[in-house]
Amino acid sequence: QLFERGQPPPVGYKEITCHLIFDLKLDMTRKSCYAAGGHLTQVPTYMTYSSVVSRDTVRIRLLMAALNGLELLAGDIQNAFLEAPTKEKIFFYAGDEWKADEGRVVIVIRALYGLKSSALQFRKHLADSIGNSLGFKASLADPDLWYKPMTNDDGFKYYAYILVYVDDLLIIDKTPQVFMDQIKEKFTVKPDSIKEPDSYLGADLARVYY
């Protein structure tokens, strides 16, 4: 949120700095990110911790998918943290990379990368959508495993699952694309990431027929 030129920052807001990060990935993909100087803020510990699905949970659900003839569909939410609002009261002065807006006060209203609370804020935002919009419930054993009772056309009853590892989703269902389409209504999912996964959390996946 940009303030008018010369307008002072609001009372009670903490000033931080921001910087651009450039990276070259192993596949030669070039990426850039505008990140906040989160080290300049002080937030309670309970605002910084964000859980992820465990590898044991993933292995068990993959087994159940195979036993029940369910399909897998993976997806990666684009610019995930920026989808969620932030609760931190912070601002910065626009640098020269802002061109004509250089020097203006910028209020951070989204969970900008680099902030200590951004991971948790995004998780809460995603959990609200999966729980309230899609009708899934979080498992008591693993809160990043979401399940929903389903009934197939032939009367077969089973559970559909959504596994969440930060911004990586793994949907397990008879028709997982239906849930993926619902998620895409609220989040931007990278088109090339929506596919049956051949790996997940570092483990190679493949169908084996007997």
Side-chain angles (χ1 to χ4, degrees):
Q1 179 181 345
L2 273 169
F3 273 32
E4 294 297 329
R5 188 172 299 282
Q7 184 178 355
V11 177
Y13 277 67
K14 167 73 174 178
E15 181 183 355
I16 64 169
T17 58
C18 294
H19 54 279
L20 283 166
I21 298 175
F22 298 92
D23 187 28
L24 181 63
K25 302 179 72 173
L26 293 177
D27 61 359
M28 303 307 291
T29 300
R30 292 174 171 83
K31 297 193 67 175
S32 64
C33 176
Y34 198 76
H39 63 289
L40 299 174
T41 65
Q42 296 293 330
V43 296
T45 304
Y46 68 83
M47 290 180 61
T48 64
Y49 175 74
S50 178
S51 61
V52 294
V53 69
S54 73
R55 282 170 169 76
D56 288 338
T57 296
V58 174
R59 286 193 287 266
I60 293 172
R61 298 312 139 183
L62 291 176
L63 173 61
M64 295 183 68
L67 292 175
N68 290 283
L70 304 180
E71 301 293 326
L72 306 180
L73 188 64
D76 184 6
I77 297 177
Q78 184 173 343
N79 296 328
F81 288 3
L82 301 182
E83 300 275 0
T86 183
K87 288 188 175 181
E88 296 188 51
K89 294 183 176 182
I90 51 180
F91 77 95
F92 63 91
Y93 290 100
D96 57 4
E97 70 274 11
W98 286 68
K99 304 298 182 182
D101 292 320
E102 181 181 0
R104 295 176 65 178
V105 172
V106 183
I107 301 297
V108 179
I109 61 175
R110 288 290 175 178
L112 194 63
Y113 286 90
L115 296 178
K116 297 174 183 176
S117 63
S118 291
L120 180 58
Q121 287 304 112
F122 169 71
R123 188 194 177 283
K124 288 181 177 180
H125 185 57
L126 179 60
D128 180 69
S129 295
I130 295 176
N132 294 329
S133 299
L134 276 67
F136 281 72
K137 291 185 178 180
S139 169
L140 294 177
D142 189 332
D144 294 286
L145 167 67
W146 298 80
Y147 66 95
K148 182 178 182 178
M150 304 289 290
T151 302
N152 206 11
D153 293 337
D154 59 5
F156 175 69
K157 294 183 178 181
Y158 67 96
Y159 284 100
Y161 299 101
I162 299 179
L163 288 69
V164 181
Y165 193 95
V166 190
D167 56 359
D168 289 329
L169 307 178
L170 181 62
I171 303 175
I172 302 176
D173 186 42
K174 287 287 186 179
T175 54
Q177 186 64 53
V178 173
F179 292 122
M180 182 62 75
D181 290 340
Q182 292 177 323
I183 292 173
K184 287 168 59 180
E185 293 177 1
K186 295 184 175 294
F187 298 90
T188 302
V189 183
K190 298 176 183 177
D192 58 352
S193 71
I194 303 176
K195 59 184 179 180
E196 180 178 294
D198 51 18
S199 66
Y200 192 71
L201 303 186
D204 294 332
L205 304 179
R207 289 179 179 268
V208 178
Y209 298 95
Y210 293 96

